[in-house]
Amino acid sequence: MADRLTQLQDCYDQLATQFYASIRYLSLHHSSSALTPPPPSNSHRNHNDSNSNANANASVNANSSHEQPASQQELPESSSYPPEQRPDTPTTFTSAQRELAQDLLLKTKQIEYLISVLPGVENSQEKQEARITELDAELREALEERRKAEQERELWLQKVDEIIGGIKR
């Protein structure tokens, strides 16, 4: 297992990759729409008050006869897009957005956790130096025990070799 700093760096790399993938998905699979509505056409307006209500009713009737059913409006027109850039349906796009956001939040929480458990965040420099001294002493003791165990192993190997040598004669 990697140390915490390596884990933190890996998480930052993964977060950057997730940001890139999210932006790419959103830019490729959104349904295109105008940022601002087109300005109203003045050619259809009649400034005469008596005719304006009739024109409004006529335009409402004309627009309603050209409207598409709701199921056809939900599906974006995919024939004008290359296969990798076809927009998703609004429900699919919304659920994908939610999933991408949850993934980003999960990764940021993981990063926050790794930062919180880093040594030294709550310890002063003196405490850290004291801990390093303790660990150094423990390491020296462990190395001494290992050296003694290796010497003992060598003694036992010599004894076993002598016994095996005595049996062969």
Side-chain angles (χ1 to χ4, degrees), residues 12-79:
Y12 275 121
D13 292 342
Q14 292 166 356
L15 183 65
T17 302
Q18 284 179 328
F19 275 132
Y20 173 77
S22 297
I23 291 170
R24 180 164 167 73
Y25 173 81
L26 294 174
S27 65
L28 289 178
H29 296 281
H30 69 85
S31 59
S32 300
S33 62
L35 294 177
T36 58
S41 173
N42 287 336
S43 63
H44 295 309
R45 289 190 176 192
N46 188 349
H47 297 288
N48 189 348
D49 288 338
S50 62
N51 290 337
S52 64
N53 287 341
N55 285 340
N57 289 337
S59 66
V60 167
N61 290 337
N63 286 339
S64 64
S65 67
H66 294 294
E67 287 183 3
Q68 296 176 347
S71 62
Q72 288 179 350
Q73 286 177 351
E74 284 185 15
L75 294 175
E77 203 164 306
S78 59
S79 61

Coordinates of all heavy atoms in Angstrom, one line a residue, residues 12-79:
Y12 N -5.7 13.3 -6.6 CA -5.7 14.6 -7.3 C -5.7 14.3 -8.8 O -6.4 14.9 -9.6 CB -4.6 15.5 -6.9 CG -4.9 16.4 -5.7 CD1 -4.1 16.3 -4.6 CD2 -6.0 17.2 -5.7 CE1 -4.4 17.1 -3.5 CE2 -6.3 18.0 -4.6 CZ -5.5 17.9 -3.5 OH -5.8 18.7 -2.4
D13 N -4.9 13.3 -9.2 CA -4.8 12.9 -10.6 C -6.1 12.4 -11.1 O -6.6 12.7 -12.2 CB -3.7 11.9 -10.9 CG -2.3 12.5 -10.7 OD1 -2.1 13.7 -10.7 OD2 -1.4 11.6 -10.5
Q14 N -6.7 11.5 -10.3 CA -8.0 11.0 -10.6 C -9.1 12.0 -10.7 O -10.0 12.0 -11.6 CB -8.4 9.9 -9.6 CG -7.6 8.7 -9.7 CD -7.8 7.7 -8.5 OE1 -8.5 8.1 -7.6 NE2 -7.1 6.6 -8.5
L15 N -9.0 13.0 -9.8 CA -10.0 14.1 -9.8 C -9.9 14.9 -11.1 O -10.9 15.3 -11.7 CB -9.8 15.0 -8.6 CG -10.8 16.2 -8.4 CD1 -12.2 15.6 -8.2 CD2 -10.4 17.1 -7.3
A16 N -8.6 15.2 -11.5 CA -8.4 16.0 -12.7 C -9.0 15.2 -13.9 O -9.6 15.8 -14.8 CB -6.9 16.3 -12.9
T17 N -8.8 13.9 -13.9 CA -9.3 13.0 -15.0 C -10.8 13.0 -15.0 O -11.4 13.1 -16.1 CB -8.8 11.6 -14.9 OG1 -7.3 11.6 -14.9 CG2 -9.3 10.7 -16.0
Q18 N -11.4 13.0 -13.8 CA -12.9 13.0 -13.7 C -13.4 14.4 -14.2 O -14.5 14.4 -14.9 CB -13.3 12.8 -12.3 CG -13.2 11.3 -11.9 CD -13.7 11.1 -10.4 OE1 -13.5 12.0 -9.6 NE2 -14.2 9.9 -10.2
F19 N -12.7 15.5 -13.9 CA -13.2 16.8 -14.4 C -13.1 16.8 -15.9 O -14.1 17.2 -16.5 CB -12.3 17.9 -13.8 CG -12.6 18.4 -12.5 CD1 -11.7 18.6 -11.5 CD2 -14.0 18.8 -12.2 CE1 -12.0 19.0 -10.2 CE2 -14.3 19.2 -10.9 CZ -13.3 19.4 -10.0
Y20 N -12.1 16.3 -16.5 CA -11.9 16.3 -17.9 C -13.0 15.5 -18.6 O -13.7 15.9 -19.5 CB -10.6 15.8 -18.3 CG -10.5 15.6 -19.8 CD1 -10.3 16.7 -20.7 CD2 -10.6 14.3 -20.4 CE1 -10.2 16.5 -22.1 CE2 -10.5 14.2 -21.8 CZ -10.3 15.3 -22.6 OH -10.3 15.1 -23.9
A21 N -13.2 14.3 -18.0 CA -14.2 13.4 -18.6 C -15.7 14.0 -18.4 O -16.5 13.8 -19.3 CB -14.2 12.0 -17.9
S22 N -15.9 14.6 -17.3 CA -17.2 15.2 -17.1 C -17.5 16.4 -18.1 O -18.5 16.4 -18.7 CB -17.3 15.8 -15.7 OG -17.2 14.8 -14.7
I23 N -16.5 17.2 -18.3 CA -16.6 18.3 -19.2 C -16.8 17.8 -20.6 O -17.6 18.3 -21.4 CB -15.5 19.3 -19.1 CG1 -15.5 20.0 -17.7 CG2 -15.4 20.3 -20.2 CD1 -14.3 20.8 -17.4
R24 N -16.0 16.8 -21.0 CA -16.1 16.2 -22.3 C -17.5 15.6 -22.5 O -18.1 15.8 -23.6 CB -15.1 15.1 -22.5 CG -15.1 14.5 -23.9 CD -13.8 13.8 -24.2 NE -13.9 12.9 -25.3 CZ -13.9 13.3 -26.6 NH1 -13.9 14.6 -26.8 NH2 -14.0 12.5 -27.6
Y25 N -18.0 14.9 -21.5 CA -19.3 14.3 -21.7 C -20.4 15.4 -21.8 O -21.3 15.3 -22.7 CB -19.7 13.4 -20.5 CG -21.1 12.9 -20.5 CD1 -21.5 11.8 -21.3 CD2 -22.1 13.6 -19.8 CE1 -22.8 11.4 -21.4 CE2 -23.4 13.2 -19.9 CZ -23.8 12.1 -20.7 OH -25.1 11.7 -20.8
L26 N -20.3 16.4 -21.0 CA -21.3 17.4 -21.0 C -21.3 18.2 -22.3 O -22.3 18.6 -22.9 CB -21.1 18.4 -19.8 CG -21.4 17.8 -18.5 CD1 -21.0 18.8 -17.4 CD2 -22.8 17.3 -18.3
S27 N -20.1 18.4 -22.8 CA -20.0 19.2 -24.1 C -20.4 18.4 -25.3 O -20.9 18.9 -26.3 CB -18.6 19.7 -24.3 OG -17.7 18.7 -24.5
L28 N -20.3 17.0 -25.3 CA -20.6 16.2 -26.4 C -22.1 15.8 -26.4 O -22.6 15.5 -27.5 CB -19.7 15.0 -26.5 CG -18.3 15.2 -26.8 CD1 -17.5 13.9 -26.8 CD2 -18.2 15.8 -28.2
H29 N -22.7 15.6 -25.2 CA -24.0 15.0 -25.2 C -25.1 15.9 -24.7 O -26.2 15.5 -24.4 CB -23.9 13.8 -24.2 CG -23.0 12.7 -24.8 ND1 -23.4 11.8 -25.8 CD2 -21.8 12.4 -24.5 CE1 -22.4 11.0 -26.0 NE2 -21.4 11.3 -25.3
H30 N -24.9 17.2 -24.7 CA -26.0 18.1 -24.4 C -26.8 18.4 -25.6 O -26.3 18.3 -26.7 CB -25.4 19.4 -23.8 CG -24.7 20.3 -24.8 ND1 -25.4 21.2 -25.6 CD2 -23.4 20.4 -25.1 CE1 -24.5 21.8 -26.4 NE2 -23.3 21.3 -26.1
S31 N -28.0 18.8 -25.4 CA -28.8 19.2 -26.6 C -28.6 20.7 -26.8 O -28.7 21.5 -25.9 CB -30.3 18.9 -26.3 OG -30.7 19.6 -25.2
S32 N -28.3 21.0 -28.0 CA -27.9 22.4 -28.4 C -29.2 23.2 -28.3 O -30.3 22.8 -28.7 CB -27.3 22.5 -29.8 OG -26.2 21.7 -29.8
S33 N -29.1 24.4 -27.8 CA -30.2 25.4 -27.8 C -29.6 26.8 -27.8 O -28.5 27.0 -27.4 CB -31.1 25.2 -26.5 OG -30.3 25.4 -25.4
A34 N -30.4 27.7 -28.2 CA -30.0 29.1 -28.3 C -29.8 29.6 -26.9 O -30.6 29.3 -26.0 CB -30.9 29.9 -29.1
L35 N -28.8 30.5 -26.7 CA -28.6 31.1 -25.3 C -29.7 32.1 -25.0 O -30.1 32.3 -23.9 CB -27.3 31.7 -25.2 CG -26.1 30.7 -25.3 CD1 -24.8 31.4 -25.2 CD2 -26.2 29.7 -24.2
T36 N -30.1 32.9 -26.1 CA -31.2 33.9 -25.9 C -32.2 33.6 -26.9 O -32.0 33.1 -28.0 CB -30.6 35.3 -26.1 OG1 -30.1 35.4 -27.4 CG2 -29.6 35.6 -25.1
P37 N -33.5 33.9 -26.5 CA -34.6 33.6 -27.5 C -34.4 34.6 -28.7 O -33.9 35.7 -28.5 CB -35.8 33.9 -26.7 CG -35.4 34.7 -25.6 CD -34.0 34.4 -25.3
P38 N -34.8 34.2 -29.9 CA -34.7 35.1 -31.0 C -35.6 36.3 -30.8 O -36.7 36.2 -30.2 CB -35.2 34.2 -32.2 CG -35.9 33.1 -31.6 CD -35.4 32.9 -30.2
P39 N -35.3 37.4 -31.3 CA -36.1 38.6 -31.2 C -37.4 38.4 -32.0 O -37.4 37.8 -33.0 CB -35.3 39.7 -31.8 CG -34.3 39.1 -32.6 CD -34.0 37.7 -32.1
P40 N -38.5 39.0 -31.4 CA -39.8 38.8 -32.1 C -39.8 39.5 -33.5 O -39.1 40.6 -33.6 CB -40.8 39.4 -31.2 CG -40.0 40.3 -30.3 CD -38.6 39.7 -30.2
S41 N -40.4 39.0 -34.4 CA -40.5 39.5 -35.8 C -41.5 40.7 -35.8 O -42.7 40.5 -35.3 CB -40.8 38.5 -36.8 OG -41.1 39.0 -38.0
N42 N -41.2 41.8 -36.3 CA -42.1 42.9 -36.4 C -43.0 42.8 -37.6 O -44.0 43.5 -37.7 CB -41.3 44.3 -36.5 CG -40.7 44.6 -35.1 OD1 -41.2 44.2 -34.1 ND2 -39.7 45.4 -35.2
S43 N -42.7 42.0 -38.5 CA -43.6 41.9 -39.7 C -44.9 41.3 -39.4 O -45.9 41.6 -40.2 CB -42.9 41.1 -40.8 OG -42.7 39.8 -40.3
H44 N -45.0 40.5 -38.4 CA -46.3 39.8 -38.1 C -47.2 40.7 -37.1 O -48.3 40.3 -36.9 CB -46.1 38.5 -37.4 CG -45.5 37.5 -38.4 ND1 -45.9 37.2 -39.6 CD2 -44.3 36.7 -38.2 CE1 -45.2 36.3 -40.2 NE2 -44.2 36.0 -39.4
R45 N -46.6 41.7 -36.6 CA -47.4 42.5 -35.6 C -48.2 43.6 -36.4 O -47.8 44.2 -37.3 CB -46.4 43.2 -34.7 CG -45.8 42.3 -33.7 CD -45.1 43.0 -32.6 NE -44.6 42.1 -31.7 CZ -44.2 42.4 -30.5 NH1 -44.2 43.7 -30.1 NH2 -43.7 41.5 -29.7
N46 N -49.4 43.7 -35.9 CA -50.3 44.8 -36.4 C -50.5 45.7 -35.2 O -50.9 45.3 -34.2 CB -51.6 44.1 -36.9 CG -52.4 45.1 -37.6 OD1 -52.2 46.3 -37.6 ND2 -53.5 44.6 -38.2
H47 N -50.3 47.0 -35.5 CA -50.4 48.0 -34.4 C -51.8 48.4 -34.2 O -52.1 49.2 -33.2 CB -49.5 49.2 -34.7 CG -48.1 48.9 -34.8 ND1 -47.3 48.6 -33.7 CD2 -47.2 48.7 -35.8 CE1 -46.1 48.3 -34.0 NE2 -46.0 48.4 -35.3
N48 N -52.7 47.9 -34.9 CA -54.1 48.2 -34.7 C -54.7 47.3 -33.6 O -54.6 46.1 -33.7 CB -54.9 48.0 -36.0 CG -56.3 48.5 -36.0 OD1 -56.8 48.9 -34.9 ND2 -56.9 48.6 -37.1
D49 N -55.3 47.9 -32.5 CA -55.7 47.2 -31.4 C -56.8 46.2 -31.7 O -56.9 45.1 -31.2 CB -56.3 48.1 -30.3 CG -55.1 48.8 -29.6 OD1 -54.0 48.3 -29.7 OD2 -55.4 49.9 -29.0
S50 N -57.7 46.5 -32.7 CA -58.8 45.6 -33.0 C -58.3 44.4 -33.7 O -58.9 43.3 -33.6 CB -59.8 46.4 -33.9 OG -59.2 46.8 -35.1
N51 N -57.3 44.5 -34.5 CA -56.8 43.4 -35.2 C -55.7 42.6 -34.4 O -55.4 41.4 -34.8 CB -56.1 43.8 -36.5 CG -57.1 44.3 -37.5 OD1 -58.3 43.9 -37.4 ND2 -56.7 45.2 -38.4
S52 N -55.2 43.2 -33.3 CA -54.1 42.5 -32.6 C -54.7 41.2 -31.9 O -54.0 40.2 -31.9 CB -53.5 43.4 -31.6 OG -54.4 43.8 -30.6
N53 N -55.9 41.2 -31.4 CA -56.4 40.0 -30.7 C -56.7 39.0 -31.7 O -56.5 37.8 -31.5 CB -57.7 40.4 -30.0 CG -57.5 41.1 -28.7 OD1 -56.3 41.1 -28.2 ND2 -58.5 41.8 -28.2
A54 N -57.2 39.3 -32.9 CA -57.5 38.3 -33.9 C -56.2 37.7 -34.4 O -56.1 36.5 -34.7 CB -58.2 39.0 -35.1
N55 N -55.1 38.6 -34.6 CA -53.8 38.1 -35.0 C -53.2 37.2 -34.0 O -52.6 36.1 -34.3 CB -52.9 39.2 -35.3 CG -53.2 39.9 -36.6 OD1 -53.9 39.4 -37.5 ND2 -52.8 41.2 -36.8
A56 N -53.4 37.5 -32.7 CA -52.8 36.7 -31.6 C -53.5 35.3 -31.6 O -52.9 34.3 -31.5 CB -53.0 37.4 -30.3
N57 N -54.9 35.3 -31.8 CA -55.6 34.0 -31.8 C -55.2 33.2 -33.0 O -55.0 32.0 -32.9 CB -57.1 34.3 -31.8 CG -57.6 34.8 -30.5 OD1 -56.9 34.6 -29.5 ND2 -58.7 35.5 -30.5
A58 N -55.0 33.9 -34.1 CA -54.6 33.2 -35.4 C -53.2 32.6 -35.2 O -53.0 31.5 -35.6 CB -54.7 34.1 -36.6
S59 N -52.3 33.4 -34.6 CA -50.9 32.8 -34.5 C -50.9 31.7 -33.5 O -50.1 30.8 -33.6 CB -50.0 34.0 -34.1 OG -50.3 34.4 -32.8
V60 N -51.7 31.7 -32.4 CA -51.8 30.6 -31.4 C -52.3 29.4 -32.1 O -51.7 28.3 -32.0 CB -52.6 31.0 -30.2 CG1 -53.0 29.8 -29.4 CG2 -51.9 32.1 -29.4
N61 N -53.3 29.5 -32.9 CA -53.9 28.4 -33.6 C -52.9 27.9 -34.6 O -52.7 26.6 -34.8 CB -55.2 28.8 -34.3 CG -56.3 29.0 -33.4 OD1 -56.2 28.5 -32.2 ND2 -57.3 29.8 -33.8
A62 N -52.1 28.7 -35.3 CA -51.2 28.3 -36.3 C -50.0 27.6 -35.6 O -49.5 26.5 -36.1 CB -50.6 29.5 -37.1
N63 N -49.6 28.1 -34.5 CA -48.5 27.5 -33.7 C -48.9 26.1 -33.2 O -48.1 25.2 -33.2 CB -48.0 28.3 -32.6 CG -47.2 29.5 -33.1 OD1 -46.6 29.5 -34.2 ND2 -47.1 30.6 -32.3
S64 N -50.1 26.0 -32.7 CA -50.5 24.7 -32.1 C -50.7 23.7 -33.2 O -50.5 22.5 -32.9 CB -51.8 24.9 -31.3 OG -52.9 25.3 -32.2
S65 N -51.0 24.0 -34.4 CA -51.1 23.0 -35.5 C -49.7 22.5 -35.9 O -49.6 21.5 -36.4 CB -51.9 23.6 -36.6 OG -51.1 24.7 -37.2
H66 N -48.7 23.3 -35.6 CA -47.3 22.9 -36.0 C -46.5 22.3 -34.9 O -45.4 21.8 -35.1 CB -46.5 24.1 -36.6 CG -47.1 24.7 -37.9 ND1 -47.1 24.0 -39.0 CD2 -47.7 25.8 -38.1 CE1 -47.6 24.7 -40.0 NE2 -48.0 25.8 -39.4
E67 N -47.1 22.2 -33.7 CA -46.4 21.7 -32.5 C -46.2 20.2 -32.7 O -47.1 19.5 -33.2 CB -47.1 22.0 -31.2 CG -47.0 23.4 -30.8 CD -47.6 23.7 -29.5 OE1 -48.1 22.7 -28.9 OE2 -47.6 24.8 -29.1
Q68 N -45.1 19.7 -32.1 CA -44.9 18.2 -32.2 C -45.4 17.6 -30.9 O -45.5 18.3 -29.9 CB -43.4 18.0 -32.3 CG -42.8 18.5 -33.6 CD -41.3 18.2 -33.6 OE1 -40.7 18.0 -32.5 NE2 -40.7 18.4 -34.7
P69 N -45.7 16.3 -30.9 CA -46.1 15.7 -29.6 C -44.9 15.7 -28.6 O -43.8 15.9 -29.0 CB -46.4 14.2 -30.0 CG -46.5 14.2 -31.5 CD -45.8 15.5 -32.0
A70 N -45.2 15.6 -27.3 CA -44.2 15.8 -26.3 C -43.1 14.7 -26.4 O -42.0 15.0 -26.1 CB -44.9 15.7 -24.9
S71 N -43.5 13.5 -26.8 CA -42.5 12.5 -26.9 C -41.5 12.8 -28.0 O -40.3 12.4 -27.9 CB -43.1 11.1 -27.2 OG -43.8 11.2 -28.4
Q72 N -41.9 13.4 -29.1 CA -40.9 13.8 -30.1 C -40.1 15.0 -29.7 O -39.0 15.1 -30.1 CB -41.7 14.1 -31.4 CG -42.2 12.9 -32.1 CD -43.0 13.2 -33.4 OE1 -43.2 14.4 -33.7 NE2 -43.4 12.2 -34.1
Q73 N -40.6 15.9 -28.9 CA -39.9 17.0 -28.4 C -38.7 16.6 -27.5 O -37.7 17.2 -27.4 CB -40.8 18.0 -27.7 CG -41.7 18.8 -28.7 CD -42.6 19.7 -27.9 OE1 -42.7 19.7 -26.7 NE2 -43.3 20.6 -28.7
E74 N -38.9 15.5 -26.7 CA -37.9 15.1 -25.8 C -36.7 14.6 -26.5 O -35.6 14.7 -26.0 CB -38.5 14.0 -24.9 CG -39.4 14.5 -23.8 CD -39.8 13.4 -22.8 OE1 -39.2 12.4 -22.9 OE2 -40.8 13.7 -22.1
L75 N -36.9 13.9 -27.6 CA -35.7 13.4 -28.3 C -35.1 14.4 -29.2 O -35.7 15.0 -30.0 CB -36.2 12.2 -29.2 CG -36.7 11.0 -28.4 CD1 -37.2 9.9 -29.4 CD2 -35.6 10.4 -27.5
P76 N -33.8 14.7 -28.9 CA -33.1 15.7 -29.8 C -32.9 15.1 -31.2 O -32.9 13.9 -31.4 CB -31.8 15.9 -29.1 CG -31.6 14.7 -28.2 CD -33.0 14.2 -27.9
E77 N -32.8 16.0 -32.1 CA -32.6 15.5 -33.5 C -31.2 15.0 -33.6 O -30.2 15.8 -33.6 CB -32.8 16.7 -34.4 CG -33.2 16.2 -35.8 CD -33.8 17.4 -36.6 OE1 -34.8 18.0 -36.1 OE2 -33.3 17.6 -37.7
S78 N -31.0 13.7 -33.8 CA -29.7 13.1 -33.8 C -29.1 13.0 -35.2 O -28.0 12.6 -35.3 CB -29.8 11.7 -33.1 OG -30.7 10.9 -33.8
S79 N -29.9 13.2 -36.2 CA -29.3 13.0 -37.6 C -28.3 14.1 -37.9 O -27.5 13.8 -38.8 CB -30.5 13.0 -38.6 OG -31.1 14.2 -38.5

